[in-house]
Amino acid sequence: MQKKADLHVHTSFSDGTFSPAEVVEYAEKIGLSAIAITDHDSVEGIGPTLEAAKDSNLEIIPGIEFTTEIEDREVHILGFFIDYKQKWLIKELKNLCRLREKRMRRMLDCLLKFGISLELDEVRVIAGKGSLGRLHLATLLYQKGYVASIQEAFYKFIGNGKPCYVRGDRISPLKAISMIDRLGGVSVLAHPYTLGMDELIPRFVKGGLKGIEVYHSDHTGAAASHYKKIADDFGLLTTGGSDCHGMGKGKILMGSVTVPYEVVDRLKEAAGK
Ligand code: AMP
Ligand code: ZN
Ligand code: FE
Ligand code: FE
């Protein structure tokens, strides 16, 4: 059987609902050979996932998904095979974590205008050890009965462009790309279809971007073909993953989007591993 990898998985150290042990257990159950841990602006889930997988055949790729912003637009940059223990990285991420908390307060303030009063600590309970994000807030809104579904929380309040969407202070995609490079990793533009701004890609490539996430649970077949062609035109690597958030998006996505294991080999080669 062909070996398969899911190169985009979140844990409870960002906004996934699965703990590292649960992530490993599920990945093994569905027969994956490798997964990349790509929490939002956090590397804290990597160690525990490696530990949980140490007696198994499942390969864990240390990764991250940086939330970045350029010209008022949100861009997610994945980093694979990063040296996640670097002290300067931990310091940078601590700061990003603080900024996420500040942003969460602003979203909560905004919800007051809609007669919704929630405390930061209530979001913290949902988030547990995770870096605070919109999926936590959406989950709380749902649990408290303010919305009929997590989707509705995004559609009504906190989706991009909706009344309580707050951008927060973010690093630029080019900074994320150079940080990943400094960490010895491979930078990849995440789910570009959701960004819809192809004209930015040449700038990212000039800045050192190494790949595009062509296959993703939010990408249609047509979108995947479109980005495969762009990747080929620029000589970029292509990756793919489900963007599994445990049960966080209503169903378990892990394994719904995979790539052949050869992609992992190519990433290793690019990272010099
Ligand atoms: P944040 O990093 O706080 O901006 O949150 C981004 C995360 O929110 C994404 O990775 C998804 O998990 C989630 N998200 C964003 N938009 C939606 C949406 N329309 N429906 C469900 N989840 C979403
Ligand atoms: Zn997420
Ligand atoms: Fe993303
Ligand atoms: Fe993601």
Side-chain angles (χ1 to χ4, degrees):
M1 220 175 59
Q2 197 191 32
K3 284 169 72 178
K4 286 188 178 149
D6 184 337
L7 300 178
H8 193 150
V9 176
H10 293 267
T11 75
S12 51
F13 285 86
S14 63
D15 54 355
T17 63
F18 284 176
S19 67
E22 289 166 331
V23 164
V24 168
E25 189 188 348
Y26 192 82
E28 285 197 281
K29 192 172 96 183
I30 62 173
L32 292 172
S33 296
I35 55 170
I37 299 303
T38 55
D39 280 316
H40 300 287
D41 303 328
S42 169
V43 294
E44 288 180 55
I46 298 172
T49 311
L50 283 167
E51 179 62 27
K54 74 175 190 308
D55 295 324
S56 76
N57 290 322
L58 179 69
E59 184 174 343
I60 306 299
I61 297 161
I64 191 163
E65 182 175 26
F66 280 112
T67 307
T68 75
E69 191 187 304
I70 183 167
E71 292 166 4
D72 274 352
R73 285 179 298 208
E74 190 175 314
V75 177
H76 293 186
I77 303 282
L78 295 163
F80 297 109
F81 289 109
I82 53 168
D83 183 0
Y84 64 97
K85 289 183 180 165
Q86 288 284 333
K87 283 215 177 70
W88 63 265
L89 174 70
I90 311 294
K91 219 170 114 192
E92 285 275 353
L93 295 178
K94 229 180 228 153
N95 189 41
L96 291 181
C97 191
R98 260 205 313 272
L99 294 173
R100 277 182 168 274
E101 188 172 303
K102 208 171 114 192
R103 168 192 183 226
M104 186 59 73
R105 286 184 199 279
R106 287 176 59 201
M107 289 195 276
L108 293 175
D109 282 348
C110 175
L111 287 169
L112 284 174
K113 288 188 235 155
F114 293 86
I116 298 173
S117 173
L118 298 169
E119 299 292 324
L120 185 65
D121 278 343
E122 294 177 279
V123 187
R124 279 211 188 95
V125 169
I126 306 265
K129 291 174 176 156
S131 53
L132 292 180
R134 282 183 286 162
L135 196 54
H136 300 124
L137 180 52
T139 304
L140 181 62
L141 284 164
Y142 172 63
Q143 285 184 1
K144 290 256 173 174
Y146 289 113
V147 288
S149 66
I150 285 175
Q151 273 305 325
E152 190 181 307
F154 282 95
Y155 182 75
K156 271 196 172 163
F157 299 117
I158 54 172
N160 293 41
K162 301 298 174 184
C164 292
Y165 173 66
V166 176
R167 283 200 326 256
D169 305 309
R170 283 150 175 184
I171 59 173
S172 77
L174 296 170
K175 174 163 178 183
I177 291 167
S178 68
M179 279 167 69
I180 292 164
D181 192 49
R182 215 177 133 196
L183 295 166
V186 185
S187 57
V188 171
L189 177 62
H191 46 73
Y193 179 68
T194 64
L195 172 68
M197 295 295 166
D198 294 359
E199 72 274 15
L200 293 175
I201 294 175
R203 274 160 74 183
F204 299 158
V205 175
K206 226 180 250 158
L209 184 76
K210 300 289 190 299
I212 294 184
E213 186 179 44
V214 167
Y215 310 99
H216 182 273
S217 47
D218 288 337
H219 281 189
T220 59
S225 311
H226 174 75
Y227 287 105
K228 170 79 169 76
K229 178 161 188 320
I230 291 180
D232 289 348
D233 288 348
F234 284 101
L236 296 172
L237 294 165
T238 59
T239 72
S242 65
D243 209 350
C244 178
H245 285 71
M247 287 299 292
K249 288 189 171 177
K251 63 175 182 205
I252 304 168
L253 292 173
M254 204 193 304
S256 64
V257 179
T258 58
V259 288
Y261 186 81
E262 288 74 68
V263 174
V264 178
D265 286 330
R266 270 178 236 136
L267 286 172
K268 275 184 193 163
E269 198 187 329
K273 301 266 149 73

